[in-house]
Amino acid sequence: MSIERWSVEQVRAIAPDPVSARAGQGLGAPSQWSAAGLSDAVLWGICRTYQVAVDLDGPRFKCSCPSRKTPCKHALGLLFRWATVGVPDAAAPEWATFPARRVKSDAPPDPVAAAKRQAVRADRVAAGMSELGRWLDDQVQAGLAAAERGGYDPFDEMAARLVDAQAPAAAATVRRLGGLVGSGPHWADRVLGEMGLLRLLVDGHDRLDELPSGLAASVRTRIGFPTSTSDVLAGPRVTDRWRVLGRVDAEDGNLQSRRIWLHGATTGRFALLLSFAAPGQSLPSDVVPGRDLDADLCFYPGTWPLRALIADRRGDFPLSAPTGVPIAAALSGWAAALAAEPWRPDVPVLLAGVRPAAPRPGDQRPPDRAGRHRPAGDRRPDDDWLIDEAGDALPLAAGFRHPWWLIAAGGGRPVTVAGEWSPAGLRPLGVWVDGVFVAAPEQTFDGPNRREPELPPDLLAAALVGTARRPWTPAPVAVGGRSLDLPAGSLLEAAGSALVYRRAGVRPGAGHRPIEAAPAETQPALPWAAGERLRRILTLGEAPFGSTATPIYLAEWLRLAQARGGRAPGGRLPGLLDQATTHEDLRAAVATVAGARGRWLAGMRDKWEWLLPAKPSSWDTGTADERVALLHATRLRDPDAGRRLIESTWEADPASDRARFLAELGHGLSLADATLLERSLDDRNGAVRNAGLELLRALPGSAWAGRMAARARAAVRLERRVIGRDRLVVTPPEELDAVMRRDGLTPSSGSGARSSSSGGGPPFGGGPASGGVGGGRRTGGAGAHRLEEIVAGTPLVVWAEYAKSPAAMIELARGDDFEDSLVHGWARAAIDQRDAAWASALVLNDNGGEGPALRHIVRWDLHGVLPATHLTRIVLDYLVRRDYQVSRLLTQLTGEWTDELATVVLTALRHGVRSDQDAWLVHELCPPAIGGLPTRYAPRVAQLAEELDHELGPTVRTRPIAELAAALAFRQEMHQEFG
């Protein structure tokens, strides 16, 4: 028998949780399997010592491992291997056989007993529906305002009685009604409408024998009568090549549900595959969006049958682009569905040639603090519509009203969109762009539902007060802009009729204009597999370690993309731009792969404007935040142009803005900025002066640094001796003159522009030469503080006049009364000036031991300046001594680790997982190892994870190592996809 190979998406979908999926993918490499094969519908393999088998017809799973998850990671790993590289055809060993499935007896059931059971249930349902009708009438008679005061309990009690009456679907509707009472705007309109539909359902049940068979089946379904699978499969079959349009997962209490929408390529018919699962169980995933399914379907009975079962499946294939219909035709189908089945909540639609709407002309943002109005640069919520070529429009539902994924994927050009249409709006499921299917992302909160009232005010007013106080008599009412003669009967029947009429008569929106198309691309597209990898990186739960590792994977993906050359897929650009907006260090790389479409998107959304070329005209009209964003983007592209922006409005800008603008000069800082920074020293505002001083410390060639150097030479002299070693003669300035004060020198450390210790380090000591608070000989007081400040601002090149190397200069200071001030001044200068030679001499001496004693916070900041080789030596020492801050040091190592460090880390992990005392190492070392371990270590980490799983089982200790193995496999696959 020929078995169609599963896709990676199919395998990932059946995993019981994301952790199992990632662990299974890490076991998908052929090197993990000593044997594997496919025999008819049985996939089997041996992973280490575990015997694994999968019955693909089920699917059913067997594994000799102790895991209680179904499927376990070994079964998933076998499926991943089959989906990616395949397995040979080979006879299954005896342990891989599955017991035969139980076949239901062909003997016909006892008709007498069956009829008796049906009669008993029918009587119970009839009694329950009769009670429901009376209860609904009582609610309206007393008034919905009284129902709001009564709360949820009356609805829950009525639902419980319907469950006892074996009408579960009606009971679920009543429970849902209880949650609507008093909830949100127009709650009474929604509750009255749903009550009206329930009243129509009660009336339909009362006349069940008189209704056409299809409508009777629909009524029975809405009440909760079951339809057996065998009865459905015994019905007629519809043969077609079914396009899988999309999938929607939902949770209702303790029950998970999955809706999969299909569309027949030949018949043009829609179908719904509906499945349920209890918590902890996996939903069926053998039907994957973005594929064509060659199968026979059998439909459940009804007037507008959509739900179906697969009767015979012959295989699945890459998805072919379907042909949609205009919006008007889709709404006509919705009206026909409601006419046939008024209780239907939604219908599938396939829209042809639709584009997102553009912001309305003339829209403006709110004025800024200066009262200046600015043109709209972001999309407004009420502009979230899809427009077809005839100009008709449909609104998007809550959770999908900011369709940046759709705008980016389609580039503003007409595309085919599959979705669910309901009174709440359109829920997109997927889009076809140049014949390629792009699935919609998960629903996100983007504001409350904006549905307007659907029922006539007269009906609603009578229902709120109660018909006992305000009797209602049938009369023509305005529904949807038309006068409707409601049928004689109760107010609820009128409400149900009016609601169906209103929904069926919905018209397309008008007056919206489509978005302008994106410019043509000039860069080639990156490989499809690389784009799919980017999707997994940007989708929460798709990559190992989740959002914690997203910046690591993304930075590596961007490096590989830049090296290859090309642009990212359009549909992934919104997520990519969002990540770069949050992580500024990614922006330059994202700009190289965003292409013309990325810049086109950035022009429509404020927070992505960093991707655009600078627009100086907006400097005069933007808010403070917008001006900072513009300055940031300008400095990245043209530092001189950014500085000129600040200078153009320096005198008019508030002090708080000037301080923020100066901070942005840190991007692309050069001596060309020194004049403006000198100007900031004369500012009346302390925050502005401090911002300027911070940047001047990093400019050794500035005039400010020259003045500091002159003070340092005056305060520190070298006394050369014929006998004995040379020594320093240190004389700190006794008084501060006006120029010194202007340059940031202060009488004492408590009032300085900057504390004498750098910020950002850990609060406790540890590591080589932590030194406690200080060391050597210390002289306190204002003079020592002024000396440290002067030395910290002096260019380090000045000290080459005194000694041939930083180490020699530090040796000169050893034993001096002002040793502590000198050493800390040099350390702060090394941090500000990013001088690796001085940092190395201060942290490690020539023999590899600890350097001079430093405050721990200062020493920690020096680690960020050290060369990678020196920092690696310190990390290795921390590992040997089991210092708990080793993980923090590892995060300061950029690039992949050396083989020596990688081996030591793996040894520490192997030891830590087995040791109670050192168990903390596992959780501290695994996160930095995600990006630090070279990808060639993936097999070794996978082997370690497998050994630990076999020895200890899945525990809190072993799980991070399994995740690390999956992360390295993830990175290794990424490299292979770029070639």
Side-chain angles (χ1 to χ4, degrees):
M1 179 176 62
S2 177
I3 297 294
E4 184 75 21
R5 188 193 295 184
W6 287 15
S7 65
V8 171
E9 289 75 14
Q10 284 176 271
V11 180
R12 193 180 297 121
I14 67 170
D17 51 60
V19 172
S20 298
R22 294 193 291 268
Q25 195 149 12
L27 295 175
S31 59
Q32 301 292 328
W33 300 86
S34 57
L38 178 65
S39 176
D40 291 332
V42 174
L43 185 66
W44 62 271
I46 300 176
C47 181
R48 308 300 181 191
T49 60
Y50 298 128
Q51 298 172 338
V52 190
V54 180
D55 179 5
L56 299 171
D57 279 341
R60 292 184 291 173
F61 309 95
K62 290 173 60 176
C63 184
S64 58
C65 76
S67 175
R68 296 182 179 180
K69 294 182 179 180
T70 303
C72 68
K73 66 179 182 180
H74 303 100
L76 291 170
L78 181 59
L79 286 168
F80 274 121
R81 173 182 172 173
W82 180 50
T84 53
V85 299
V87 297
D89 290 333
E94 184 176 352
W95 52 261
T97 58
F98 287 83
R101 298 179 183 274
R102 290 190 302 172
V103 180
K104 292 184 179 180
S105 173
D106 293 333
D110 183 355
V112 176
K116 185 177 180 179
R117 288 193 299 269
Q118 291 174 1
V120 170
R121 175 162 190 164
D123 290 342
R124 289 180 178 175
V125 172
M129 295 303 288
S130 178
E131 185 177 1
L132 174 61
R134 292 192 297 272
W135 181 83
L136 289 170
D137 292 338
D138 290 344
Q139 300 305 306
V140 174
Q141 186 176 19
L144 296 184
E148 182 182 17
R149 293 190 297 270
Y152 183 77
D153 288 344
F155 292 85
D156 191 45
E157 292 171 4
M158 185 65 239
R161 292 199 291 271
L162 287 171
V163 170
D164 291 341
Q166 295 184 280
T173 304
V174 173
R175 281 203 180 93
R176 187 172 64 250
L177 269 178
L180 293 177
V181 173
S183 174
H186 312 304
W187 68 266
D189 178 85
R190 290 180 292 159
V191 170
L192 181 59
E194 292 296 326
M195 282 185 169
L197 293 178
L198 272 176
R199 180 72 248 189
L200 294 181
L201 188 64
V202 172
D203 294 345
H205 179 266
D206 291 343
R207 299 193 295 271
L208 200 59
D209 295 337
E210 306 170 13
L211 299 178
S213 60
L215 183 56
S218 296
V219 170
R220 291 171 61 87
T221 299
R222 297 296 170 183
I223 292 174
F225 281 97
T227 302
S228 68
T229 300
S230 58
D231 289 344
V232 176
L233 295 177
R237 297 187 175 190
V238 180
T239 301
D240 209 332
R241 185 156 173 160
W242 302 92
R243 302 183 179 99
V244 187
L245 304 180
R247 183 178 70 197
V248 179
D249 290 344
E251 289 188 13
D252 184 9
N254 292 326
L255 193 65
Q256 303 176 80
S257 66
R258 172 167 291 172
R259 303 194 303 272
I260 299 178
W261 289 104
L262 312 177
H263 181 259
T266 303
T267 62
R269 184 171 181 175
F270 288 102
L272 170 65
L273 302 181
L274 185 61
S275 55
F276 301 93
Q281 296 181 347
S282 58
L283 289 159
S285 58
D286 52 340
V287 178
V288 179
R291 303 282 291 178
D292 273 2
L293 181 66
D294 185 10
D296 295 345
L297 300 187
C298 293
F299 287 81
Y300 282 75
T303 50
W304 195 268
L306 283 176
R307 186 182 177 188
L309 296 175
I310 299 177
D312 184 22
R313 176 173 180 168
R314 290 173 288 276
D316 61 344
F317 311 92
L319 186 67
S320 57
T323 301
V325 298
I327 286 176
L331 290 180
S332 295
W334 161 248
L338 286 184
E341 187 182 339
W343 306 280
R344 174 153 292 283
D346 51 41
V347 294
V349 294
L350 198 54
L351 304 176
V354 294
R355 291 187 284 173
R360 295 174 183 268
D363 283 345
Q364 287 190 328
R365 305 175 191 158
D368 61 15
R369 288 177 297 179
R372 296 172 293 191
H373 286 273
R374 297 161 290 119
D378 209 346
R379 297 175 58 82
R380 286 163 43 98
D382 57 357
D383 286 317
D384 294 316
W385 296 69
L386 293 186
I387 309 166
D388 66 10
E389 296 178 357
D392 293 334
L394 282 183
L396 294 171
F400 303 93
R401 291 184 300 216
H402 300 286
W404 289 108
W405 69 276
L406 197 155
I407 297 171
R413 293 176 175 80
V415 293
T416 300
V417 173
E420 289 179 336
W421 169 255
S422 72
L426 181 72
R427 175 178 187 154
L429 299 174
V431 59
W432 283 262
V433 180
D434 299 328
V436 177
F437 177 76
V438 180
E442 294 293 328
Q443 182 176 10
T444 57
F445 179 77
D446 57 2
N449 198 321
R450 298 193 298 265
R451 278 167 49 173
E452 297 297 324
E454 297 182 281
L455 294 174
D458 292 346
L459 281 175
L460 190 57
L464 276 169
V465 175
T467 55
R469 296 182 180 180
R470 183 176 176 177
W472 181 83
T473 56
V477 294
V479 179
R482 300 179 183 179
S483 179
L484 175 64
D485 290 325
L486 295 175
S490 69
L491 183 146
L492 283 177
E493 291 172 339
S497 300
L499 181 65
V500 176
Y501 184 87
R502 168 67 180 267
R503 290 180 175 178
V506 65
R507 298 174 181 175
H512 301 273
R513 62 185 180 90
I515 201 168
E516 295 292 333
E521 295 285 0
T522 56
Q523 294 176 266
L526 288 167
W528 178 88
E532 177 62 16
R533 181 70 52 178
L534 177 61
R535 181 196 67 78
R536 294 182 58 193
I537 292 173
L538 298 174
T539 302
L540 184 64
E542 288 281 339
F545 281 99
S547 59
T548 302
T550 297
I552 299 173
Y553 300 138
L554 192 53
E556 187 163 19
W557 188 94
L558 288 168
R559 287 195 299 270
L560 294 170
Q562 286 181 292
R564 180 185 175 93
R567 55 181 169 84
R572 310 301 167 213
L573 286 174
L576 195 59
L577 295 178
D578 280 343
Q579 286 289 331
T581 300
T582 304
H583 304 282
E584 294 186 7
D585 56 317
L586 299 177
R587 291 184 178 181
V590 169
T592 63
V593 301
R597 188 164 300 184
R599 294 184 289 275
W600 172 74
L601 285 171
M604 292 184 284
R605 200 171 193 191
D606 291 346
K607 71 175 186 177
W608 296 338
E609 284 186 346
W610 55 265
L611 188 61
L612 298 175
K615 296 182 291 185
S617 59
S618 63
W619 181 256
D620 298 322
T621 59
T623 64
D625 289 341
E626 291 168 342
R627 297 175 77 196
V628 169
L630 172 61
L631 177 60
H632 181 89
T634 307
R635 285 289 293 185
L636 291 178
R637 291 177 175 80
D638 188 347
D640 291 337
R643 183 184 64 257
R644 288 193 293 270
L645 285 178
I646 301 176
E647 293 171 334
S648 67
T649 58
W650 180 264
E651 297 295 340
D653 287 331
S656 58
D657 289 356
R658 294 200 300 273
R660 295 179 65 187
F661 297 158
L662 285 180
E664 289 298 327
L665 291 182
H667 302 285
L669 182 67
S670 70
L671 284 176
D673 302 315
T675 301
L676 177 58
L677 295 177
E678 282 281 342
R679 183 180 181 183
S680 72
L681 298 181
D682 296 317
D683 200 278
R684 296 171 59 185
N685 184 271
V688 177
R689 296 195 302 271
N690 290 345
L693 282 171
E694 287 294 316
L695 294 174
L696 285 170
R697 294 176 187 278
L699 285 176
S702 66
W704 179 87
R707 295 192 295 273
M708 285 294 188
R711 295 174 186 125
R713 291 186 178 100
V716 182
R717 295 184 298 107
L718 177 63
E719 183 180 279
R720 299 191 180 276
R721 296 183 174 184
V722 177
I723 301 176
R725 71 185 184 99
D726 297 344
R727 73 183 186 95
L728 297 177
V729 178
V730 182
T731 310
E734 296 181 358
E735 300 293 336
L736 295 180
D737 58 29
V739 179
M740 289 181 178
R741 293 178 183 275
R742 177 181 180 270
D743 286 343
L745 296 179
T746 56
S748 65
S749 59
S751 59
R754 168 174 154 173
S755 167
S756 61
S757 64
S758 301
F764 304 110
S770 62
V773 177
R777 302 177 63 186
R778 301 189 61 189
T779 297
H785 164 68
R786 284 194 291 271
L787 177 64
E788 181 178 332
E789 292 295 318
I790 290 171
V791 174
T794 300
L796 289 168
V797 68
V798 167
W799 308 110
E801 303 168 8
Y802 293 71
K804 62 182 179 180
S805 68
M809 192 66 205
I810 294 170
E811 179 64 21
L812 278 176
R814 185 168 57 85
D816 190 270
D817 288 344
F818 291 94
E819 176 186 356
D820 187 68
S821 297
L822 290 171
V823 167
H824 280 90
W826 289 326
R828 290 171 53 192
I831 294 167
D832 289 333
Q833 299 170 35
R834 312 300 296 175
D835 193 303
W838 270 93
S840 298
L842 288 162
V843 175
L844 298 170
N845 61 31
D846 292 338
N847 298 322
E850 60 187 36
L854 289 168
R855 290 185 290 272
H856 185 74
I857 294 177
V858 175
R859 178 177 295 280
W860 196 267
D861 286 347
L862 280 172
H863 289 153
V865 187
L866 287 176
T869 52
H870 291 186
L871 187 57
T872 299
R873 287 166 55 189
I874 298 175
V875 170
L876 289 171
D877 182 66
Y878 270 50
L879 279 169
V880 170
R881 292 186 295 103
R882 296 293 189 261
D883 192 295
Y884 76 97
Q885 294 182 95
V886 64
S887 64
R888 184 166 187 170
L889 270 178
L890 284 171
T891 60
Q892 294 187 324
L893 271 174
T894 58
E896 292 187 339
W897 299 342
T898 63
D899 287 334
E900 180 186 14
L901 178 57
T903 301
V904 172
V905 167
L906 289 180
T907 302
L909 288 174
R910 188 187 301 273
H911 167 75
V913 78
R914 296 182 173 93
S915 167
D916 292 335
Q917 182 178 0
D918 294 332
W920 60 272
L921 280 169
V922 176
H923 298 278
E924 291 294 319
L925 296 181
C926 282
I930 297 170
L933 281 174
T935 55
R936 61 180 177 274
Y937 281 82
R940 289 180 59 179
V941 178
Q943 182 177 358
L944 173 61
E946 190 65 26
E947 290 174 1
L948 295 174
D949 182 71
H950 179 65
E951 177 183 342
L952 305 174
T955 66
V956 174
R957 293 186 188 178
T958 60
R959 190 172 297 118
I961 297 179
E963 286 273 277
L964 178 59
L968 289 178
F970 188 88
R971 291 178 53 219
Q972 191 174 48
E973 293 165 3
M974 187 193 310
H975 283 255
Q976 295 168 353
E977 289 161 354
F978 279 99

